Amino acid sequence: MARRPLSNRDVARIFSDIAALLDIKGENRYRVLAYRRAAEAIEHLDQELYRYWQEGRLREIPHVGDAIAQKIDELFRTGRLTFLERLEAEYPRHLVELLRVPDLGPRRVRTLYRELGIATPEEVARAARAGQLRRLPGFGPKVEANILRALERLPRDQGRVLLSRALEVASELLEALRAAAGADVLVRAEVAGSLRRRRATVGDVDLVAASPAPEEVVAAFVRLPHVAEVRKAGPTRASVRLHNGLRADLRAVRPEQWGAAWQYFTGSQAHNVRLRELALGRGLSLNEYGFRREDGTEVPCAREAEVYARLGLPWIPPELREDRGEIEAGLEGQLPALVSLEDIRGDLHVHTVWSDGRLTVEAMVQAARARGYEYIVITDHSTGLGVVRGLDPERLRRQREEIQAVNARYDDITVLQGAEVEIMADGTLAYPDEVLASLDVVVASLHTGLRQPRAQITRRLLAAIRHPLVHIVGHPTGRLLLRRAGADLEMEAVLRAAAETGTALEINASPERLDLDARHVRRAVELGCRLVINSDAHRDEELDNVRYGVWQARRGWAEARHILNTRPLPALLAALRVGGEG
Ligand code: DGT
Ligand code: CA
Ligand code: CA
Ligand code: ZN
């Protein structure tokens, strides 16, 4: 069986882990940086790295020199990297995870590992509670307390990964499994679990397969080159750990059981409990293979919709399966007509080279046209952001000329000028009113001072929502999934103010943000808020992130009518203005 070539993402991950391990080891800063830059470049290549390798063009990639090209070559030839293996013998690879804890930089991680043999967040927390960290060089009681607090705030996320990452891994696994098992053995295979329900983060990759010979599918699965360790395996199931650190579960059933199995392993558990209760009320028991009548006869379900139909329910979209009212809504024929990706007519929040984006206005417009959009709003950063060089009013004016020129070249798309305007620490905006008034769309966002106390930061965001020239509030809480909690906002007050003023709230579709989250989308929909789904793209391919935003909107029960950028441009602009200038 041929080994599937490593993906760009896999190789990028390897080099960024090398960079982190070298950093922990205390290597020269430039050497660390060299690996980090190579990882960045590989991650964002527009073609398969494998192709570059096959064609002998590795050195054409920015930041890939001889040393790194040789390592890529070894990886593709052997699937291994001796350099990394030697490094891992000194410093275990999962130390890299510790770097995500605020207050734990490479030096402190090295100290922890060298002095106490500590390599996991759990061990750090234990040592901190025992007061062992404060005595280490470079720590002290205050650092110890900070680390412990940070760790205690994270535990819910531990071991979880972003939806985007898990989906990528899942589609690779499915492809490899299809190739390995063959079409006769593998009739169908799909993702299940929280991945299929499109939760923003997932605990593991759940897969379901249908086959006349389930045990052969399981055997092929555990032999995939992606698998590092088989944790559990039986004739119809396997649970494995992958080389990339993720866990994956596979269930294989016979084709006539497909519907019941896919439904069962999609969950959620709470949703399934409710279905089982409904089944019992009809004298049926329900499990992963189908229904069973009281007289013992089996009723398999080949299609998922049959499971629901036998319970008097319409098929329920996976995003709703959380037992948050979808069963009741289904029984009453009141399920929402969820928004879908095809409903989205344009993007209202993208960046270009004018601030921290990678594309010119022209290239971004091409990318938007390639997606069939009717409109795109260029929203580069205002001044006031610190690290990013934002546009002052003079550059903003010059940008408008460029946008107008590009807009004039196309009659199939409308290009508008907006800006992502900083909400300053005191709640004022980074641009004066006359500048705001010159923009087609004003997106106001918080990026700094996110740790202000609840009352203060809520007041600050409310000021932006109530500002008559603000159309949209971008990524309202500022959260970064698995990395940083959002601002401590009084969300009910925020949502109510948005509903009252008509200021739209963004569902930022970046897979690292997904902000508003699904829970707040649901509440926003109930309160009658206006919503928009934006990619916040800084690169061409990031425009496709809109789908993550659509999935979160669906998890929040949103329909197309709740999302302004499902509307044709005149209707969109009219709606935005009601909030802003009406
Ligand atoms: P995760 O992995 O934490 O993101 O969340 P899930 O929902 O993917 O949970 P997981 O992987 O433990 O299980 C996948 C699905 O399988 C789950 O949503 C429902 C079903 N399932 C697993 N274990 C049980 C169980 O003990 N009882 C019931 N009713 N369903 C289960
Ligand atoms: Ca799961
Ligand atoms: Ca699982
Ligand atoms: Zn942005």
Side-chain angles (χ1 to χ4, degrees):
M1 184 181 62
R3 186 176 41 233
R4 189 180 188 286
L6 292 162
S7 71
N8 295 9
R9 180 69 84 96
D10 291 332
V11 177
R13 172 69 76 107
I14 287 169
F15 285 124
S16 81
D17 283 1
I18 288 176
L21 289 176
L22 290 175
D23 208 5
I24 289 168
K25 193 175 164 187
E27 278 274 352
N28 176 311
R29 218 156 57 78
Y30 294 100
R31 197 145 174 247
V32 172
L33 205 57
Y35 283 101
R36 202 159 278 154
R37 290 210 169 115
E40 258 260 306
I42 291 166
E43 172 147 19
H44 296 298
L45 278 183
D46 49 5
Q47 276 180 27
E48 290 287 325
L49 180 64
Y50 188 70
R51 288 248 311 264
Y52 280 88
W53 174 69
Q54 281 180 316
E55 294 164 8
R57 294 164 45 226
L58 286 176
R59 294 296 310 276
E60 290 172 20
I61 301 167
H63 306 294
V64 172
D66 278 333
I68 285 171
Q70 272 170 22
K71 292 186 176 70
I72 297 172
D73 180 59
E74 184 187 346
L75 276 168
F76 282 133
R77 273 188 301 105
T78 69
R80 298 175 46 186
L81 187 55
T82 25
F83 179 75
L84 177 60
E85 286 168 14
R86 277 205 298 269
L87 196 54
E88 280 185 272
E90 280 181 88
Y91 291 95
R93 186 143 167 203
H94 52 267
L95 282 176
V96 170
E97 295 297 312
L98 284 186
L99 293 174
R100 294 212 324 236
V101 180
D103 283 291
L104 278 185
R107 284 174 87 127
R108 288 192 181 133
V109 170
R110 176 170 71 236
T111 306
L112 284 174
Y113 186 63
R114 286 266 195 79
E115 304 283 321
L116 301 175
I118 280 176
T120 67
E122 297 76 37
E123 290 167 348
V124 177
R126 211 174 308 132
R129 276 188 212 105
Q132 289 176 326
L133 300 191
R134 64 184 68 189
R135 281 181 253 120
L136 294 174
F139 281 76
K142 186 148 175 246
V143 173
E144 182 181 75
N146 286 348
I147 290 173
L148 191 55
R149 201 169 330 113
L151 284 170
E152 280 169 351
R153 276 180 36 166
L154 287 175
R156 232 164 37 90
D157 293 339
Q158 243 163 51
R160 299 186 75 81
V161 296
L162 294 181
L163 175 62
S164 51
R165 167 114 184 96
L167 274 177
E168 207 170 297
V169 171
S171 65
E172 242 180 67
L173 281 177
L174 286 173
E175 198 184 310
L177 186 60
R178 287 188 188 110
D184 293 340
V185 170
L186 188 59
V187 177
R188 186 168 185 187
E190 304 281 355
V191 302
S194 52
L195 197 52
R196 184 168 175 234
R197 303 197 311 278
R198 310 302 193 203
R199 275 192 63 177
T201 64
V202 306
D204 64 354
V205 172
D206 294 298
L207 304 175
V208 182
S211 170
E215 64 295 338
E216 286 181 37
V217 177
V218 174
F221 179 68
V222 298
R223 282 200 308 266
L224 290 180
H226 307 72
V227 172
E229 180 198 348
V230 179
R231 301 163 70 227
K232 276 182 260 166
T236 62
R237 62 191 302 177
S239 184
V240 303
R241 195 174 54 78
L242 305 172
H243 284 298
N244 57 28
L246 269 66
R247 283 175 300 119
D249 284 348
L250 171 76
R251 280 298 196 112
V253 296
R254 304 188 53 80
E256 62 271 21
Q257 299 164 330
W258 167 262
W262 201 22
Q263 194 291 314
Y264 182 92
F265 292 109
T266 297
S268 66
Q269 206 164 317
H271 175 87
N272 287 356
V273 166
R274 295 292 310 280
L275 292 195
R276 258 198 318 270
E277 286 168 8
L278 284 180
L280 288 175
R282 293 173 177 240
L284 296 165
S285 68
L286 172 61
N287 64 20
E288 61 260 57
Y289 304 109
F291 293 100
R292 184 196 289 266
R293 295 201 185 85
E294 275 160 356
D295 64 10
T297 52
E298 311 258 347
V299 187
C301 295
R303 290 183 315 111
E304 196 177 51
E306 290 170 38
V307 177
Y308 288 99
R310 284 195 179 268
L311 300 174
L313 285 165
W315 180 82
I316 297 179
E319 293 94 332
L320 298 183
R321 300 183 193 172
E322 301 289 350
D323 188 26
R324 301 211 180 113
E326 75 280 8
I327 311 258
E328 291 75 7
L331 289 171
E332 290 159 19
Q334 300 288 331
L335 282 174
L338 298 179
V339 61
S340 73
L341 186 57
E342 295 70 46
D343 293 325
I344 302 296
R345 290 174 189 254
D347 205 321
L348 314 178
H349 181 171
V350 303
H351 296 268
T352 71
V353 291
W354 282 89
S355 63
D356 57 349
R358 294 297 170 102
L359 300 186
T360 60
V361 170
E362 170 93 37
M364 186 50 93
V365 170
Q366 295 285 10
R369 289 175 72 232
R371 274 119 183 131
Y373 283 157
E374 296 174 22
Y375 45 83
I376 179 137
V377 186
I378 307 292
T379 54
D380 277 300
H381 288 285
S382 70
T383 44
L385 187 54
V387 272
V388 176
R389 179 161 172 256
L391 276 66
D392 58 29
E394 169 52 25
R395 289 181 68 224
L396 195 67
R397 201 186 49 71
R398 279 193 283 132
Q399 190 202 37
R400 176 153 56 250
E401 286 165 15
E402 181 175 327
I403 288 174
Q404 284 168 348
V406 174
N407 188 44
R409 284 203 279 283
Y410 301 100
D411 53 15
D412 56 355
I413 188 165
T414 303
V415 190
L416 298 174
Q417 188 187 34
E420 182 171 20
V421 184
E422 263 326 277
I423 306 170
M424 308 304 281
D426 62 0
T428 59
L429 296 175
Y431 287 148
D433 284 0
E434 65 269 20
V435 174
L436 296 175
S438 74
L439 295 163
D440 297 310
V441 177
V442 173
V443 179
S445 304
L446 297 169
H447 289 101
T448 55
L450 290 173
R451 298 270 73 90
Q452 287 174 341
R454 189 178 177 92
Q456 187 183 1
I457 198 154
T458 302
R459 230 182 299 123
R460 187 175 159 204
L461 195 61
L462 289 178
I465 290 172
R466 298 212 170 102
H467 193 298
L469 297 170
V470 170
H471 301 112
I472 298 169
V473 169
H475 48 71
T477 77
R479 76 169 178 177
L480 289 178
L481 287 163
L482 309 177
R483 284 199 279 155
R484 174 176 92 194
D488 186 14
L489 290 163
E490 212 173 292
M491 279 310 282
E492 184 67 15
V494 167
L495 300 178
R496 282 182 184 279
E500 193 185 301
T501 57
T503 304
L505 297 175
E506 179 179 77
I507 301 171
N508 188 290
S510 162
E512 297 184 352
R513 291 189 181 273
L514 299 177
D515 176 17
L516 298 176
D517 72 14
R519 209 162 27 103
H520 293 141
V521 171
R522 180 89 182 267
R523 185 66 185 141
V525 164
E526 281 170 6
L527 289 171
C529 296
R530 297 189 158 118
L531 296 168
V532 294
I533 301 175
N534 292 332
S535 72
D536 197 359
H538 289 67
R539 305 165 181 277
D540 184 330
E541 68 275 12
E542 287 175 1
L543 282 174
D544 294 323
N545 286 344
V546 159
R547 66 182 190 275
Y548 295 102
V550 170
W551 287 327
Q552 295 315 301
R554 291 167 64 87
R555 287 182 59 78
W557 292 53
E559 306 191 0
R561 66 194 166 94
H562 300 119
I563 310 291
L564 294 185
N565 53 328
T566 62
R567 302 187 186 177
L569 185 61
L572 166 77
L573 291 177
L576 287 176
R577 290 215 180 90
V578 170
E581 289 151 23

